[in-house]
Amino acid sequence: MSHYEVSTVTVIFTVYGPPGPYNLAFFIFIFVLYMSILCINLFLVLVICIESSLHRPMYILLVNLAISGVIGSSSVCPPVMKYLLMEKQESSLIGCLTQVFFSNVYGCWAYCILTLMAYDRYVSICKPLQYHSIMTPTKVKLLLAVVYLIPCSFIAVQVYLTSRIQLCKHTIDKLLCDNLAVVNLSCEKSTFINVYGLFLIFCLIILPFLLVVLSYIHILMVSLKTSKESQKKALRTCTPHLVTFINFSAASFFAVIYNRLNLSLPRAVNIFITMNFVAIPPLLHPIIYGIKTQEIRCSIYKIITRKFRQF
């Protein structure tokens, strides 16, 4: 497929239906959800940036998790809202592949950042005396650079490979683009692209998942040898991350199954599965950390109190 052909190809989404009361209701729901995600995540980032006491590895990683959530929801929610109000829901192939890139990058970034957070908890609990020498600012920046660059590079290759295939069909029975949905529109099946997709799932989802599980096994083994008070402290420290990790793992699992199996699902189910991956985790993660992490709660209280005193 030539560059000119790629730039002129369009794909059509078939699950939206014509504008009406149901589409308007879904539009309002997604709009409120999206605005909530932006406000909550940006507020959390602002709190951590303002409070110098939170300028530590765990909270720096939390800022990056919040930013990845904003990117993921922004790659999906605005286009879905636009299509809900349109008579004909279609996208250029370039726009479709751009959405594939950013939604996939969001998922991989989030998983890798959660893995770094698990590593931070492991060092904090299992090697407390060495924590500051291990989790140095330089090392955190280096780990974040790796987390950002490797998924971007791998997914850029995937999107490039998909952009080179010849399309014989142009309709997608989903709310938005995903790589496999575009590949299924091709004239010929590409074994290499499918194998590469599975390779990415292993490297960027399964491997981080196993590393987090391994970290918590070590944390559990060390905690069992300590006092009850130390065990309670470890539990308080790990609970927000563990809840966040389980929540995102469940959303990712359903998203992968949804994308790998070419199922025809009702519109409401399509919306639920899509939002469950790109909107619910970015909404819940800051709330979980805000509620469960005492330092963040205290920082929010200090900032609000300080602002009231100015008035």
Side-chain angles (χ1 to χ4, degrees):
M1 188 182 290
S2 69
H3 175 74
Y4 175 78
E5 288 173 328
V6 170
S7 65
T8 57
V9 169
T10 59
V11 293
I12 300 169
F13 304 100
T14 60
V15 300
Y16 287 91
Y22 288 112
N23 281 22
L24 183 59
F26 284 132
F27 173 88
I28 293 170
F29 168 72
I30 295 172
F31 176 78
V32 172
L33 191 63
Y34 180 54
M35 289 297 105
S36 301
I37 290 167
L38 292 181
C39 293
I40 291 172
N41 280 279
L42 294 178
F43 178 69
L44 180 66
V45 170
L46 187 64
V47 167
I48 294 173
C49 290
I50 289 174
E51 279 300 309
S52 57
S53 62
L54 298 178
H55 294 177
R56 302 204 302 274
M58 188 64 176
Y59 300 111
I60 293 170
L61 296 175
L62 185 54
V63 164
N64 285 269
L65 185 64
I67 292 170
S68 73
V70 169
I71 291 172
S73 59
S74 296
S75 71
V76 171
C77 292
V80 170
M81 288 189 290
K82 180 184 74 172
Y83 295 142
L84 283 168
L85 300 180
M86 292 173 63
E87 287 285 347
K88 190 176 183 181
Q89 298 82 22
E90 62 180 20
S91 169
S92 67
L93 182 58
I94 291 175
C96 184
L97 293 176
T98 301
Q99 187 179 66
V100 168
F101 176 80
F102 282 106
S103 59
N104 285 357
V105 158
Y106 147 70
C108 296
W109 279 350
Y111 233 123
C112 292
I113 292 168
L114 286 169
T115 305
L116 291 186
M117 293 170 86
Y119 175 65
D120 178 83
R121 294 300 83 198
Y122 160 74
V123 176
S124 175
I125 293 169
C126 300
K127 300 180 179 181
L129 299 178
Q130 300 169 265
Y131 180 82
H132 293 291
S133 61
I134 294 175
M135 298 300 291
T136 62
T138 302
K139 185 173 183 179
V140 172
K141 290 175 184 176
L142 180 62
L143 289 172
L144 282 171
V146 170
V147 159
Y148 281 117
L149 291 176
I150 290 180
C152 279
S153 302
F154 281 4
I155 293 167
V157 171
Q158 182 187 44
V159 169
Y160 172 76
L161 293 172
T162 303
S163 72
R164 308 311 298 168
I165 63 177
Q166 184 77 36
L167 302 187
C168 288
K169 295 177 286 185
H170 299 276
T171 58
I172 295 177
D173 191 32
K174 293 183 178 179
L175 285 178
L176 45 83
C177 296
D178 68 71
N179 193 70
L180 197 58
V182 178
V183 170
N184 287 336
L185 302 178
S186 64
C187 302
E188 296 179 1
K189 296 296 181 184
S190 174
T191 303
F192 179 73
I193 291 178
N194 280 324
V195 170
Y196 187 75
L198 292 172
F199 167 75
L200 291 188
I201 290 172
F202 175 78
C203 290
L204 302 177
I205 295 180
I206 295 176
L207 186 58
F209 177 86
L210 293 175
L211 290 173
V212 173
V213 171
L214 188 62
S215 297
Y216 275 104
I217 289 172
H218 280 286
I219 289 171
L220 181 62
M221 290 172 64
V222 169
S223 297
L224 289 175
K225 299 175 183 177
T226 60
S227 64
K228 293 290 185 183
E229 187 59 35
S230 297
Q231 289 175 10
K232 289 179 181 178
K233 184 179 178 181
L235 183 62
R236 285 196 304 271
T237 302
C238 293
T239 296
H241 176 266
L242 196 54
V243 172
T244 301
F245 174 69
I246 292 170
N247 173 59
F248 191 73
S249 296
S252 300
F253 174 78
F254 284 114
V256 168
I257 296 299
Y258 172 63
N259 290 337
R260 301 301 298 183
L261 299 179
N262 193 21
L263 301 174
S264 294
L265 299 171
R267 182 171 33 169
V269 177
N270 262 291
I271 290 176
F272 171 76
I273 293 176
T274 302
M275 293 299 108
N276 190 47
F277 176 62
V278 299
I280 303 303
L283 179 66
L284 291 182
H285 294 171
I287 295 173
I288 291 169
Y289 271 93
I291 292 172
K292 290 291 184 180
T293 308
Q294 184 177 0
E295 288 174 297
I296 291 179
R297 291 202 309 270
C298 291
S299 296
I300 292 171
Y301 177 76
K302 281 166 59 180
I303 291 171
I304 293 172
T305 304
R306 196 182 307 152
K307 290 297 179 184
F308 271 113
R309 284 175 182 169
Q310 290 177 358
F311 290 108

